[in-house]
Amino acid sequence: MSRRNINIVIILILGILFCSVCFSINISYKNENRIKQDEKSIIERQPIEQSLDTTTNNKNEIDTNIDPTSTVSYDLQTGIETIIPSKSYSKLNKESYFNIAEPIVNPSSAEKTSLIENSIKKSEDEIIINDVILPDDRERETSTTIYPLSTICKLYITAADNDEYHGSGFLVDSYHVLTAGHCVFIHDHGGWVRSIEVVPGKDFNNEPYGRAYYTTSRSYTAWTIDENQNHDWALITLDRLIGADTGIMPFRTFDIANPVYSGPLSVAGYPTDYPFIGSLYEGEFMLSSTESGVSVSDTIHWYNMDTYGGMSGGPVWREESPGNLYALSIHAYGNNDGTGLNHGTRINEEKFNRLHAWLREDAIPDMVKSDAGCSSSPVGGNRELEAWCEVRNIGSGETGEITVKYYASEDKKIKDSDTLLGKDTISSIPPLDIVKSSWKGHIYDLPEGEYYIGFIIDENDDIIEFDEDNNKGLCSSDPIKVRYDFIIQFFTSVPGFITIGSVALISIGTILVEKKLIVKR
């Protein structure tokens, strides 16, 4: 090999070595940068219990200068806080005015969302959140669209100072979520939270009902001012009627001595120790635990069910029989009071009454189609058309009497300028109930052709609703054919009598009798 060729080979080898070193340095830098990014993302979202100050343990003293059970509400859009004295509220019954309401509408698949990398490790001086009472009997729930798991919500919480947290809650009507007070008002992080994304029935990256967002929240001044654990509870108002698809969890209260509080109970929520602490997917799975309750005070409920950070706000419920269940308390704390038990805020008689009052303050109906149908083709002339619509009230207030109008349209968009066929008036619909409307009649004036039959509920907007734009629809996705009969008239002569008024006359010849022949197409 010539000297020149040897020099070329040496230069090529040196060039390859140089490129390899540069590539290794770049990969090392990228890996280091990725690790830093991962570490940053892992601490982005913490279990909501991390927001609690350790000095609040057993803090149950109340400022005697304030009314501890005054309602304090916060409107996210306006930023206005309003306080209403407790004496403004009256008593109600001990059973929630909603019956057990399982989902009726089949949920559509929601778009899958990106995973949120979350959680940090607990240090020894932080409030106790690892509330597993060994052995750990919690189970991962994968059938989260089955009632009542469908009512249990994952909360993505952003505090006023932009710190982010995991929490839980449960739907108590179409657009209200009951949760812990420290999920909506965080004392050491700016007070009222900046945002809450509510995801019912979440399982990993499956969000079967989509997301709703909080608009207003309510709690007690005992929590927002004193951070008193006896009153660590809150109600969130949402921007959509997501509970109409999920079903709702009823709530009840009993006397302290009632054995329901110490019998078999369940709790569920979204803990941050699953699949393991430090996982990028903490808080993305629903876990439940069923054990016995232990005891209650007027405001606190102690129990043996296993919980962990991120489950605050989840329901503590009792199931009497399949489908017959109700929430008794709101999970809020682990063993931070020396009892060795997990505990939450009991829905006592006073809170029960207040919760009803809060729900009624927001009570508003919303009418939608549950189902509909109409006669098959053809119709017209002697052939009647029958159209019907089942009206469902997915809101939280009663509707009052409702008028439903039925139209024939040349296209699938039903409007009040279409041909009015008729109308029907139906009785008032309670929340989450269904009443059927129908109309039946002859069609004589429509030109022959194909028409879509549809309806408009409360066309004049006489009833104030949550959403005024969901009251129209089709009775059938297929058009009907309007055809008329040919009527051939002819006469025949028969002997007999004719009657004029009350006088019978003998006809000189015959009586003309009209006959019709109907030819259908």
Side-chain angles (χ1 to χ4, degrees), residues 22-39:
C22 291
F23 181 76
S24 298
I25 292 172
N26 186 47
I27 291 295
S28 177
Y29 171 77
K30 286 184 176 179
N31 285 338
E32 183 180 354
N33 186 58
R34 179 180 59 79
I35 291 170
K36 288 180 179 179
Q37 290 297 322
D38 286 348
E39 288 175 350

Side-chain angles (χ1 to χ4, degrees), residues 128-149:
I128 297 174
I129 62 170
N130 54 326
D131 314 320
V132 176
I133 304 171
L134 296 176
D136 186 355
D137 70 346
R138 293 175 302 164
E139 295 182 358
R140 179 189 167 190
E141 299 289 356
T142 56
S143 301
T144 56
T145 58
I146 302 299
Y147 183 84
L149 301 179

Side-chain angles (χ1 to χ4, degrees), residues 139-394:
E139 295 182 358
R140 179 189 167 190
E141 299 289 356
T142 56
S143 301
T144 56
T145 58
I146 302 299
Y147 183 84
L149 301 179
S150 56
T151 70
I152 299 169
C153 305
K154 164 76 181 184
L155 306 185
Y156 292 106
I157 303 163
T158 301
D161 62 0
N162 290 322
D163 279 0
E164 296 182 319
Y165 298 96
H166 296 280
S168 301
F170 57 103
L171 284 148
V172 291
D173 77 357
S174 298
Y175 64 116
H176 287 98
V177 170
L178 196 58
T179 187
H182 60 265
C183 287
V184 303
F185 191 97
I186 308 175
H187 283 266
D188 292 339
H189 295 267
W192 295 108
V193 299
R194 185 181 300 275
S195 70
I196 303 176
E197 296 180 47
V198 177
V199 192
K202 181 178 176 63
D203 178 44
F204 194 33
N205 59 350
N206 181 30
E207 299 180 2
Y209 307 102
R211 296 190 175 197
Y213 299 84
Y214 115 96
T215 59
T216 59
S217 54
R218 294 174 174 89
S219 187
Y220 276 178
T221 48
W223 177 253
T224 61
I225 296 176
D226 286 336
E227 201 172 359
N228 186 289
Q229 292 183 13
N230 287 301
H231 303 291
D232 188 352
W233 75 313
L235 183 72
I236 303 170
T237 304
L238 304 179
D239 67 337
R240 54 174 288 219
L241 300 169
I242 200 167
D245 292 338
T246 66
I248 62 172
M249 182 170 287
F251 51 92
R252 294 190 67 181
T253 188
F254 299 88
D255 294 332
I256 290 177
N258 197 298
V260 295
Y261 293 106
S262 57
L265 300 171
S266 297
V267 65
Y270 291 85
T272 58
D273 66 333
Y274 187 91
F276 55 87
I277 297 175
S279 167
L280 298 181
Y281 311 130
E282 291 176 359
E284 302 297 311
F285 303 89
M286 184 190 298
L287 269 68
S288 69
S289 175
T290 299
E291 275 287 353
S292 62
V294 178
S295 62
V296 291
S297 68
D298 182 51
T299 56
I300 304 294
H301 187 185
W302 289 271
Y303 35 81
N304 283 313
M305 294 89 75
D306 294 318
T307 64
Y308 198 86
M311 294 181 72
S312 277
V316 176
W317 78 90
R318 177 181 174 88
E319 186 165 3
E320 300 280 2
S321 59
N324 179 19
L325 53 86
Y326 45 83
L328 291 169
S329 304
I330 307 154
H331 175 65
Y333 297 96
N335 174 28
N336 69 328
D337 60 357
T339 62
L341 300 169
N342 298 322
H343 60 285
T345 306
R346 175 177 170 247
I347 303 174
N348 59 14
E349 185 173 357
E350 181 270 326
K351 286 185 174 66
F352 177 91
N353 290 331
R354 189 65 56 87
L355 183 52
H356 271 288
W358 288 347
L359 294 174
R360 291 184 190 280
E361 285 173 359
D362 284 348
I364 187 170
D366 194 38
M367 296 167 289
V368 298
K369 177 187 83 171
S370 176
D371 197 6
C374 64
S375 306
S376 58
S377 296
V379 298
N382 288 338
R383 290 164 294 194
E384 285 186 315
L385 168 67
E386 182 174 7
W388 57 273
C389 171
E390 289 183 347
V391 183
R392 185 183 182 205
N393 177 13
I394 62 174

